[in-house]
Amino acid sequence: SQSKSVDDPASTPAATVTPVSKKAKSSNEAEMAKTYDYLFKLLLIGDSGVGKTCILFRFSEDAFNTTFISTIGIDFKIRTIDLDGKKIKLQIWDTAGQERFRTITTAYYRGAMGIMLVYDITQEKSFENIKNWIRNIEENAAADVEKMLLGNKCELNEKRQVTRVRGEQLAVEYGIKFMETSAKASINVDDAFFTLARDIKCKMEKRMEANNPPKGGHQLKPQVEPRKAPSWLSKCNLF
């Protein structure tokens, strides 16, 4: 539609502005605001250079940057996904791996609902340090936060220092899920985020069901004289 000139105030009659009722306005605002069913805050942690930012960019932008620029402090991206008929908005925080940023990044653990621990399969040290990152979670995050272990850069198999079996064993030790990923080759990145989001959603829905039992669940039922069960049935039920 073409824009009309409004240089002359007299040429613009006041009647052209239609007032919107408060009810209609609030209804429209609510409709616009309801673009998702759940909002999940996720965190990516691990040593510097393991590919946390690349994983985030692959998931949020479906892109890969070959230039390594170390994250300063913290950054985040947002992607909304469809999961089991629900729209889930994922707010994913990418943390700096260097020790000098540790006091900044640990402040973000508290509100996290899911945390991805990332190591580089070509760097033994980054794998060994996962235990330190787990300790940071235990000290700073919620006790029931969902966790997942990612062995990144799995496309570099010829440079591998950490076997897949060791990654699986460490995940079993901590009772968390494990995947090997490649941000560069786009392997398992989406699967990892969808799996973590589904686990958070299941946990949240179970908690909501526990806190809000079905209405009428405690209604008094009319007393009915119980019928005496046949003797053979009584014997069958005795285990």
Side-chain angles (χ1 to χ4, degrees), residues 6 19 38 56-57 65 79 81 93 99 163 184 198 226:
V6 289
Y38 298 115
L56 178 56
F57 265 83
N65 190 349
R79 178 176 161 186
I81 62 172
W93 293 85
E99 184 69 39
T163 64
K184 186 175 185 179
R198 184 174 280 109

Side-chain angles (χ1 to χ4, degrees), residues 18-46:
T18 307
V20 180
S21 69
K22 285 184 180 179
K23 188 176 182 181
K25 188 177 179 183
S26 61
S27 174
N28 290 339
E29 285 174 352
E31 197 173 318
M32 287 173 68
K34 189 65 175 174
T35 54
Y36 57 88
D37 298 293
Y38 298 115
L39 171 64
F40 294 166
K41 179 183 171 184
L42 310 181
L43 208 58
L44 285 162
I45 64 173

Side-chain angles (χ1 to χ4, degrees), residues 39-77:
L39 171 64
F40 294 166
K41 179 183 171 184
L42 310 181
L43 208 58
L44 285 162
I45 64 173
D47 283 5
S48 180
V50 297
K52 300 184 296 297
T53 303
C54 290
I55 288 172
L56 178 56
F57 265 83
R58 174 59 72 188
F59 181 69
S60 62
E61 316 277 340
D62 195 19
F64 181 80
N65 190 349
T66 54
T67 308
F68 173 67
I69 301 171
S70 187
T71 303
I72 297 172
I74 196 154
D75 193 12
F76 78 95
K77 293 279 184 185

